[in-house]
Amino acid sequence: MTTWRDDIGHAFSGGRIDGANDLRVFLDHGYDRFVERAEQYRYQRCISWYLDAMLSDRTVDARIASIAAGMEVLAERYAAHDETVGSATADKIRNLVTSLGVDVDDLAAFSETFEDTSDGTKEYFYSNSRNFVLHNERDNMPFDNVFRDYEAAITLFRRVLANEFVLDEERDRYTSLLNLSPTDQRFE
């Protein structure tokens, strides 16, 4: 490679890469920039799923699907950095919630579909409603139960995002936003 390739390759991005005549350096730099942008894009996708789940004109089924997608995108990111996490969705969600120090006890207790078992899946308390929506598992799930799970799951999503993006010392400013405060949108 000669320098003219370097000049043409960076005509619009500005600045040259030191040692760009070495293909390995060029590819290393390109990969680093790709990884950085992939992380930013993952966060943007996660936040867009949260905003989608907040739209009151969408069905509760669609909003739960959005919550599941957003939580799973972020859980995948955390699982990718921890080789001890299992491949099951419950394992990844548990890892995400635990890594961020999110409290879920009140949310699991609020959920009508959560069955307290000894395997410790309270972090994934909304799994029955998620499966009801995404996998069409129609086991006589009352609408009120799905709606309660939506209320708890959107609060969980909000807590996860706050713990991911808000500094620890500023988190107490958002206490009211992170509390479970169900709304009755069923008849709006």
Side-chain angles (χ1 to χ4, degrees):
M1 293 180 69
T2 62
T3 57
W4 68 267
R5 291 177 188 265
D6 183 43
D7 294 337
I8 291 172
H10 291 85
F12 299 106
S13 62
R16 295 171 62 164
I17 302 171
D18 290 333
N21 289 334
D22 183 348
L23 183 60
R24 291 166 298 186
V25 173
F26 180 76
L27 293 175
D28 260 1
H29 179 73
Y31 179 75
D32 290 345
R33 291 190 66 201
F34 166 76
V35 168
E36 178 184 309
R37 288 182 179 163
E39 287 293 314
Q40 291 171 353
Y41 179 65
R42 186 172 287 133
Y43 280 129
Q44 289 170 354
R45 280 181 36 214
C46 181
I47 292 170
S48 71
W49 284 119
Y50 171 74
L51 295 173
D52 194 56
M54 294 295 294
L55 296 174
S56 62
D57 59 340
R58 303 208 52 220
T59 66
V60 171
D61 286 8
R63 290 190 269 172
I64 285 179
S66 295
I67 291 169
M71 289 287 291
E72 290 168 24
V73 163
L74 200 53
E76 278 291 332
R77 178 201 176 275
Y78 271 78
H81 299 290
D82 187 347
E83 295 174 4
T84 63
V85 178
S87 61
T89 303
D91 295 335
K92 292 175 184 176
I93 298 293
R94 183 182 308 116
N95 178 60
L96 170 69
V97 170
T98 305
S99 296
L100 291 174
V102 176
D103 182 31
V104 296
D105 292 336
D106 60 332
L107 304 177
F110 182 78
S111 171
E112 290 285 335
T113 64
F114 174 65
E115 298 166 6
D116 194 7
T117 59
S118 61
D119 66 358
T121 57
K122 68 181 175 185
E123 296 87 358
Y124 194 39
F125 62 85
Y126 60 94
S127 65
N128 289 328
S129 290
R130 174 206 180 270
N131 293 338
F132 172 78
V133 169
L134 297 178
H135 300 300
N136 203 23
E137 292 182 5
R138 305 286 178 187
D139 294 331
N140 295 326
M141 176 87 64
F143 177 75
D144 283 349
N145 291 359
V146 174
F147 194 83
R148 281 180 70 95
D149 272 4
Y150 163 74
E151 293 285 356
I154 196 68
T155 303
L156 172 64
F157 202 177
R158 195 175 299 124
R159 289 177 185 178
V160 164
L161 290 175
N163 284 17
E164 177 68 22
F165 295 113
V166 177
L167 298 173
D168 290 342
E169 59 269 12
E170 294 190 10
R171 206 166 289 143
D172 60 346
R173 295 173 59 193
Y174 300 95
T175 305
S176 62
L177 181 66
L178 303 178
N179 286 339
L180 176 64
S181 52
T183 59
D184 197 350
Q185 300 175 2
R186 292 176 287 182
F187 306 107
E188 289 182 4

